[in-house]
Amino acid sequence: MKDIWTKLAFLTALLLATNPVSAQLTVGNTETLVNTTTASTQQSPAVAMDTSGKYVVVWESELQDGSGLGVYAKIYNADHSVRVSDFLVNTVNTTNDQRNADVAITPDGSAIAIVWQSNHSGSQDWDCMIRFYNIDGVAQTSEMQIESSTTSQMYPEVAASDDMFAVVFMNNISGDKEYAVSGRHYNATGAAIGAAYTIDSVGQHLSHPTLAMDSSGNVIFGWQHHNVAGDPITEIRARNYDNTGSPTSTVYYLAVETNQNLSAPSLARASTGEFIAVFSYFDQDGDHYGIYGQRFNNTGVAVGGVFKISNSSNGSQDHPQINCTRDGAYYSVTWTDESNDGSLQGVYARVFNYNLTYLNTEQLINTTTDDRQMLSDVALSVDTNEVVYVWQGGLRKGTTAGLDTDEYGIYTSSLEIADLEPPTAICQNITVYLSGAGSTTISATAVDGGSTDNIGITNYSVSQTLFTCANIGTNVVTLTVEDAAGNSDNCLAVVTVVDSVAPTAVCQNITVYLDGAGTATITAADVDNGSTDNCSVASLALSQSSFTCANTGANNVTLTVADASGNIGSCIATVTVIDSVTPTAVCQDITVYLDGAGNATITGADLDNGSSDNCSGSLIYTPSQSSFTCADIGANSVTLTVTDAGGNSAACSSIVTVIDSVAPTAVCQNITVYLDGAGNASITAADVDGGSSDNCGTPSLGIDVSSFSCANVGANTVTLTATDGSGNVASCSAIVTVVDSVTPTAVCQDITVYLDGAGIASITAADIDGGSTDNCGTPILSASQSTFTCADVGANNVTLTVTDASGNSAACTSVVTVVDSTAPTAACQNITVYLDGAGLATITSGDIDNGSSDNCGIASMTVSPATFDC
């Protein structure tokens, strides 16, 4: 076995050298027996794999369930370890045969559906059954009949999308050989989505039904079509359905059209909808059947022509089965070859991508070539890039342990795909539009401009998917593309974000009141009632914002709301304008004069001083009082009411001054007044009034001078003013003679004076003044003696006389003590005296005086000693 795989690796390397591709195949799991029970026959396997590599194998096992053929299943982990060992699927119906099992699994591995045809009733009729499991082999439903019918249903197949399943089966509609192709949808919990439906019933011999689903549950159904009974020519036809079980196309040719022998179709569809059909094509490779294929886009339109898959042209290659990774990166076809493995039939396979880049030539899958290896099936995973094959191998007598040595057994092996070439990222710039919520999202494929990869891109990612108002304008994003092997490339695209959503303008009706000028002004915010924008409102504007008296009543105003991108929305609000402003009453004070009868009359207009109203019109002026008499002389408060044409009114107050303009008669008399001891005198108007009078009563009297001081001694002219109650004035003059008869106050002080060197001393009257005063200021002072000599040494009485300006005088006596404090000037001279006979000599002061002097004369001189002796 090791040598065979070494040979396979060499052939693969040789293929890559002659037809290089940036991927390679390696052995993932060598040939392994699936069925644990090996007694009798195990046959017709099918396999399904989730994206992580876990896979389920189903097959028919003879007599294992106690009667005829039963359906068994086994679940493997991605590393090919057994997750759930062999278990019986048809646990309710175990009598007779259970055949043609098929299996499908959701990409996440959460749900498994197994279908088969059951002859449990023992009649010639068959029922198609379905049962659901989880990945741990725990049944989620009981076995259920796909369609309740009294006719036979056979050859069921099942396919899975992200969250649902679809089945296809043959339904006998008339006689032994007329079958219709029918289908039905189920959700992932096993509940049917609608009833079964007929896909095609035209023709006598419809057979080999097959199907493939994309990630959303849209289905391509295919089948083999015989034109007429006995005619060997067969065609492959198809029809498209959506995920609700409704047709989206009519029946069309899945490959070449009429008069071509095509049989045993099989379909594989990527999650995006593109698919490839494979079939046995008779007499095209020169020797019986060969394996061929055709690519299609997601609507069923052929891409390119029919292409050959099997390399060998020797003998017949038939019963093809195709599957692909969920993302469509890789496809693999397996088939039965009748003459090339050295011993009857062998299982072959080939791996390629959607662009038909092959990773190998046709490759023998079965290691053991004894007898017949046939009826293979294939499954691929995205995460592991692994291809799992299953087939029916039999009659391996005498082989080593671990193989089924009793008739047929179920075998599996796998290949791993290694991709070495990075994708080529190609970007395109796009423009996207913000939604009403101010955001939009893009998928990575939106900026993809046709990125390519040798085996297909499995993942697209973009550096930024969410765009908001903050992204308006151009944004550079990075597109990263990755293939299943993890190879990646990136490019830059410009995403231009446009906000084309107009703001939602929401208005409210308002009432406004004219102001004193007869105008009213509103702002857009006044009528806005919560206008919004997916980004933000940039500005609000009004069709009219100012109103005058001419707009009184209802006015339609348009509110225009704009966003930063220039999108505009608008709405209409009703603005009701009301004039509720009263007039402005402006009064003026006036003076009226009583006439000869003592009366005066006014009108309202006399009091108006320019009253106004916000809306022009005639005003009516009404005073609260219009007639006045002598009793009203003076200020009178009068209310002026101003009323406009609309009945709005206002009032103000005026002072109406009523005047009596007849002046009083003023009569004066002259008077004499005497200053008091403080030098002041005062008079009243009555003192100089000589009998003043007025026609309306006694006038009030006033004088211009009522106080007098020493400055006013003598005659002063005083004006007497007579004023009546109306303010009329008359005046006359009176002579007020002011007399000062108050004598001064003489105050003396005793002083001492000193004779000078000449024997003289002098004083002033102020020297002996002790603070003499007068009511009219400083009096004049005089002293009875002001000069003193040596003759006056001692106390001397001096009289101080004080006289004011009016001749009033007073006197007091001060003692002036004269003092001679100047010492005499002694002048000596030297003399010579002669002792007398007695030996004595005597001198006098005069003998040695040399002209001594004194300011007041020398009173005496003495000498010491005066007597001299020997």
Side-chain angles (χ1 to χ4, degrees), residues 96-122:
N96 300 314
D97 286 338
Q98 323 294 320
R99 303 201 61 183
N100 294 322
D102 194 25
V103 61
I105 186 170
T106 54
D108 64 1
S110 62
I112 300 169
I114 299 175
V115 296
W116 69 95
Q117 67 183 58
S118 174
N119 185 235
H120 57 273
S121 63

Side-chain angles (χ1 to χ4, degrees), residues 119 121-126 152 154 176:
N119 185 235
S121 63
S123 68
Q124 293 183 348
D125 293 330
W126 294 87
S152 287
M154 297 182 294
D176 233 1

Side-chain angles (χ1 to χ4, degrees), residues 394-478:
L395 303 178
R396 300 184 178 191
K397 303 296 184 180
T399 58
T400 60
L403 299 179
D404 187 334
T405 58
D406 185 6
E407 298 186 3
Y408 287 101
I410 307 302
Y411 293 87
T412 180
S413 67
S414 69
L415 298 176
E416 290 182 355
I417 304 169
D419 177 25
L420 306 178
E421 180 178 330
T424 299
I426 301 174
C427 284
Q428 63 177 351
N429 300 331
I430 63 171
T431 298
V432 296
Y433 296 85
L434 295 177
S435 68
S439 64
T440 187
T441 57
I442 64 169
S443 64
T445 55
V447 296
D448 178 52
S451 302
T452 60
D453 187 66
N454 59 321
I455 58 172
I457 295 171
T458 60
N459 185 53
Y460 297 81
S461 63
V462 65
S463 59
Q464 182 176 352
T465 59
L466 174 66
F467 299 86
T468 66
C469 299
N471 304 115
I472 291 174
T474 57
N475 304 266
V476 177
V477 299
T478 301

Side-chain angles (χ1 to χ4, degrees), residues 742-829:
V742 178
T743 60
T745 301
V747 180
C748 289
Q749 64 177 346
D750 297 335
I751 65 172
T752 298
V753 297
Y754 295 86
L755 296 175
D756 61 16
I760 298 172
S762 298
I763 65 170
T764 64
D767 294 333
I768 61 173
D769 179 44
S772 299
T773 60
D774 185 61
N775 62 335
C776 285
T778 303
I780 298 171
L781 305 176
S782 64
S784 60
Q785 182 180 353
S786 60
T787 301
F788 300 88
T789 67
C790 294
D792 298 305
V793 171
N796 301 273
N797 287 327
V798 179
T799 299
L800 176 66
T801 300
V802 180
T803 304
D804 64 17
S806 297
N808 301 304
S809 66
C812 62
T813 300
S814 292
V815 176
V816 178
T817 301
V818 177
V819 176
D820 177 16
S821 60
T822 301
T825 299
C828 291
Q829 63 180 342

Side-chain angles (χ1 to χ4, degrees), residues 79-161:
D79 63 357
H80 307 292
S81 62
V82 175
R83 185 182 185 93
V84 181
S85 191
D86 311 22
F87 60 91
L88 180 64
V89 176
N90 54 288
T91 56
V92 175
N93 299 313
T94 57
T95 59
N96 300 314
D97 286 338
Q98 323 294 320
R99 303 201 61 183
N100 294 322
D102 194 25
V103 61
I105 186 170
T106 54
D108 64 1
S110 62
I112 300 169
I114 299 175
V115 296
W116 69 95
Q117 67 183 58
S118 174
N119 185 235
H120 57 273
S121 63
S123 68
Q124 293 183 348
D125 293 330
W126 294 87
D127 295 323
C128 286
M129 310 298 290
I130 189 169
R131 193 171 191 184
F132 292 86
Y133 290 83
N134 66 18
I135 194 63
D136 293 316
V138 178
Q140 305 299 296
T141 68
S142 61
E143 54 196 80
M144 301 176 289
Q145 191 171 342
I146 295 174
E147 181 185 32
S148 297
S149 175
T150 58
T151 61
S152 287
Q153 303 100 46
M154 297 182 294
Y155 305 112
E157 283 197 12
V158 61
S161 71

Side-chain angles (χ1 to χ4, degrees), residues 666-670 688 717-720 731-735:
V667 180
C668 289
Q669 62 178 352
N670 298 327
V688 295
T717 299
V718 176
T719 300
L720 172 67
S731 63
C732 59
S733 297
I735 300 299

